[in-house]
Amino acid sequence: ETGVTQTPRHLVMGMTNKKSLKCEQHLGHNAMYWYKQSAKKPLELMFVYNFKEQTENNSVPSRFSPECPNSSHLFLHLHTLQPEDSALYLCASSQGLAGGRDTGELFFGEGSRLTVL
Amino acid sequence: GQSLEQPSEVTAVEGAIVQINCTYQTSGFYGLSWYQQHDGGAPTFLSYNALDGLEETGRFSSFLSRSDSYGYLLLQELQMKDSASYFCAGDMDTGRRALTFGSGTRLQVQP
């Protein structure tokens, strides 16, 4: 069983659809993240949750709506998306919020490849 | 502001040594991490430097100089499987405790 699991791996949706991305971590971590990865661009932080509470919203449009029901699960609800939202959406978890070994090392899922038509 | 700059592509041959540089601009800084991502895969953690100097982990080493706002990842005895994208990521002192990533360096190892 992998540490961070994301479903679905691939998603194609129209601009008027509503869909959700799911992330589950089996590592006992306290923090979970959503990152957006587009070609030739840095991984872009979207949301951070620590102990189920949102600690960071990086000016993400409201058509992306996160949900964190517990420390092991994270969702990203999608509605009325635009074609430019097509990207790889990566979920990650960490024990703490710092960036380094033993505390804040990020463990990533393999991502959900989203295509908006 | 916060930004990390790294070269977009690097090519090297098997058995060689390659250095991937990362420069950053930020008003505050806790440390620099490096992640590896193979095509279609998840980014995976390689190393972290909180202090100046060299950290060595097998064939990979990472270096940080806070005074120069600069770090690098050194890969020795390159293997074909090292072909991947490499990202530096900064733990920035902005009140936000989450990593800011560079745009990545795609390493192509040739026979």
Side-chain angles (χ1 to χ4, degrees):
Chain A
E1 189 174 65
T2 58
V4 181
T5 304
Q6 291 187 241
T7 55
R9 293 293 311 278
H10 300 273
L11 178 63
V12 179
M13 59 187 289
M15 293 169 60
T16 59
N17 291 159
K18 289 184 179 181
K19 297 287 185 183
S20 295
L21 307 181
K22 178 183 176 183
C23 176
E24 183 174 3
Q25 59 101 354
H26 309 277
L27 300 168
H29 288 164
N30 299 315
M32 296 189 76
Y33 311 75
W34 281 115
Y35 278 88
K36 176 182 178 182
Q37 186 174 33
S38 304
K40 308 290 187 183
K41 294 176 70 174
L43 274 76
E44 181 182 344
L45 178 68
M46 301 176 71
F47 301 103
V48 181
Y49 279 82
N50 195 32
F51 293 97
K52 303 189 300 178
E53 298 298 320
Q54 188 181 116
T55 59
E56 183 74 30
N57 176 338
N58 192 25
S59 302
V60 180
S62 59
R63 58 186 183 269
F64 295 91
S65 175
E67 178 189 0
C68 189
N70 54 61
S71 292
S72 298
H73 293 84
L74 185 64
F75 296 89
L76 188 63
H77 303 299
L78 317 169
H79 63 98
T80 60
L81 294 190
Q82 305 298 312
E84 59 265 28
D85 297 322
S86 299
L88 182 69
Y89 289 85
L90 289 162
C91 173
S93 71
S94 63
Q95 181 59 42
L97 285 178
R101 192 186 300 277
D102 298 330
T103 55
E105 172 187 342
L106 293 182
F107 290 78
F108 284 89
E110 294 191 327
S112 294
R113 171 76 57 189
L114 173 66
T115 302
V116 181
L117 301 176
Chain B
Q2 318 159 43
S3 68
L4 296 98
E5 300 292 329
Q6 48 182 135
S8 59
E9 293 185 14
V10 173
T11 301
V13 298
E14 259 187 309
I17 299 173
V18 71
Q19 179 174 312
I20 300 174
N21 298 322
C22 176
T23 57
Y24 60 88
Q25 299 175 10
T26 181
S27 57
F29 187 78
Y30 286 114
L32 190 70
S33 301
W34 288 91
Y35 285 76
Q36 177 193 61
Q37 185 179 27
H38 287 98
D39 286 346
T44 56
F45 177 86
L46 290 177
S47 68
Y48 177 70
N49 293 71
L51 304 175
D52 284 4
L54 193 67
E55 293 278 343
E56 297 181 70
T57 308
R59 294 188 297 114
F60 293 2
S61 302
S62 58
F63 173 82
L64 176 65
S65 169
R66 288 174 174 273
S67 59
D68 296 321
S69 297
Y70 163 74
Y72 65 73
L73 179 69
L74 190 73
L75 297 86
Q76 302 183 73
E77 301 173 19
L78 282 174
Q79 302 175 9
M80 298 297 290
K81 67 179 182 179
D82 297 328
S83 293
S85 292
Y86 293 84
F87 297 87
C88 59
D91 184 9
M92 308 297 195
D93 181 14
T94 61
R96 165 198 296 181
R97 295 315 304 276
L99 295 182
T100 300
F101 282 81
S103 55
T105 298
R106 185 168 184 84
L107 170 65
Q108 185 69 41
V109 180
Q110 297 178 339

